[in-house]
Amino acid sequence: MICIETLAFQDAMDRLASCHADSGVDDNPQSMRLFGVSGVGKSFVFKEYCLRNPPVHGDEVTRLPVVYVKIPSKPTRRSIFRAFLHAVQIQVGPGSADSLRDRAKFLYTQCCVEFVCVDEVQHLIDRGQARTFAAAADALKEMLDLLMIPVAYGGAPRAQILFTHNNQLRSRVPETLRLYPFDLEGGFAQLRGFLHELACDMSDENRKWLASSEVATRMFYASDGVHRSIAFMVKRMARLTSDLRTLDYVTLEEMFARYYWPKVPAVLNPFHKSFAMRRLNRVGEIHEPTYLDGDNHGEDVGYGAI
């Protein structure tokens, strides 16, 4: 998978490295939150940081400087501890939650884990009553208290609720970095560069056209600036040009109507000449805000800005 180092990506990597560097310094490790709507690259950043801090194989022990833990979709106290074991390639059989916790602590200590990236923390609040997610959150805090190492918590914007309603987590993790989609103001040059790099398998002519100001503007409206949506669209375009076809607006107009929004009116197709040149985020449109996390480019829902 291609890694495109946008300014936001570099900032996120630097912030993770800053937390990582605090490992072992004292008993109050520096941790952080990494939030953003789906598709802006949170998990990609975590996984790339892990790749850049690979396991160190020794004669007796394999050191794991960084571990990536993914919170399960229906978290319980036991499944939280299972997730920590799965993250270090341990198959989990029968056993109580306490035995899994103790086994995870032993292995993480033996493997000299320095930093943990915990992803999808919004799952801790997505299902069940308040006491249900509170118990799972307490299990996460319990595990990390035992390890005493820095942690980066990643998740959707609504994950902020977890910290708002848990004073201990909030006080221990005061720093937040928010990742956003591209926009047409400060981030437009980054968007154009992102498009050009994604189109590396296309001809120079198609790459330059796709990254031009006018086409990039329409790509923004088609994807709402979300990185993953842009990447999928460019991947689709690369397939369309595999026979050396030259990209044009008619081709992209047909692609959008066929794959992304069937029966879309011409005025709402970003690649049609009559497109209204506005975001497609109204009720019933392709980028309508979700009730959980709100507008991709708006403030956070339900609890104010981070």
Side-chain angles (χ1 to χ4, degrees):
M1 181 182 295
I2 185 173
C3 177
I4 302 172
E5 297 198 11
T6 63
L7 292 178
F9 172 87
Q10 293 172 7
D11 187 26
M13 294 290 280
D14 287 344
R15 293 282 291 273
L16 293 178
S18 177
C19 285
H20 187 181
D22 200 49
S23 185
V25 173
D26 53 36
D27 292 334
N28 190 28
Q30 175 184 332
S31 296
M32 65 173 286
R33 316 168 205 171
L34 182 66
F35 292 156
V37 297
S38 179
V40 294
K42 304 179 299 298
S43 299
F44 183 86
V45 166
F46 280 161
K47 292 174 182 178
E48 186 65 23
Y49 191 81
C50 289
L51 287 174
R52 298 185 186 191
N53 293 272
V56 180
H57 300 285
D59 292 336
E60 297 182 359
V61 176
T62 296
R63 290 182 54 248
L64 301 173
V66 184
V67 173
Y68 173 80
V69 178
K70 187 174 181 179
I71 298 297
S73 59
K74 297 181 179 180
T76 62
R77 185 168 181 266
R78 189 174 187 276
S79 70
I80 294 294
F81 300 141
R82 284 172 58 94
F84 273 82
L85 288 168
H86 284 156
V88 292
Q89 308 301 311
I90 298 298
Q91 296 301 315
V92 180
S96 67
D98 286 349
S99 67
L100 296 181
R101 177 202 60 201
D102 294 344
R103 187 181 182 193
K105 181 184 184 301
F106 174 79
L107 288 170
Y108 276 58
T109 302
Q110 288 294 107
C111 294
C112 303
V113 176
E114 303 165 352
F115 183 40
V116 179
C117 298
V118 181
D119 203 2
E120 306 288 3
V121 295
Q122 75 276 0
H123 290 326
L124 293 168
I125 62 170
D126 280 349
R127 290 179 170 83
Q129 302 295 322
R131 62 178 180 274
T132 303
F133 68 71
D138 284 345
L140 175 60
K141 184 172 66 67
E142 180 184 359
M143 186 72 252
L144 299 173
D145 282 348
L146 288 172
L147 296 176
M148 292 298 297
I149 55 178
V151 181
Y153 300 84
R158 62 186 180 278
Q160 175 66 19
I161 297 173
L162 179 66
F163 296 87
T164 301
H165 295 285
N166 190 313
N167 288 333
Q168 290 193 27
L169 272 179
R170 180 171 54 187
S171 63
R172 295 182 188 187
V173 193
E175 298 186 10
T176 298
L177 177 63
R178 178 76 182 271
L179 298 182
Y180 291 94
F182 292 108
D183 59 52
L184 292 179
E185 297 176 357
F188 188 56
Q190 292 286 304
L191 170 59
R192 292 183 64 187
F194 189 70
L195 286 166
H196 190 265
E197 292 301 315
L198 280 177
C200 59
D201 292 332
M202 298 185 190
S203 67
D204 287 343
E205 180 183 3
N206 281 332
R207 289 184 78 184
K208 291 178 181 178
W209 183 79
L210 185 59
S212 66
S213 180
E214 182 179 349
V215 180
T217 299
R218 292 175 180 270
M219 280 293 294
F220 166 79
Y221 290 122
S223 64
D224 209 33
V226 174
H227 302 60
R228 183 163 55 208
S229 298
I230 295 169
F232 279 139
M233 286 186 178
V234 173
K235 182 179 180 180
R236 174 63 63 184
M237 293 174 195
R239 292 176 180 174
L240 294 174
T241 61
S242 60
D243 57 357
L244 303 181
R245 186 192 317 182
T246 299
L247 288 176
D248 55 32
Y249 283 124
V250 173
T251 301
L252 298 193
E253 175 191 339
E254 293 174 350
M255 178 197 75
F256 187 81
R258 180 177 182 183
Y259 294 105
Y260 299 100
W261 193 353
K263 298 182 180 179
V264 57
V267 71
L268 298 181
N269 188 317
F271 305 107
H272 193 276
K273 60 182 180 181
S274 65
F275 177 58
M277 300 301 287
R278 67 166 178 82
R279 288 183 60 210
L280 302 174
N281 63 336
R282 297 177 184 175
V283 175
E285 295 181 347
I286 190 171
H287 301 303
E288 176 184 357
T290 67
Y291 79 95
L292 286 174
D293 290 315
D295 192 298
N296 286 334
H297 296 263
E299 299 292 354
D300 304 311
V301 175
Y303 39 78
I306 295 176

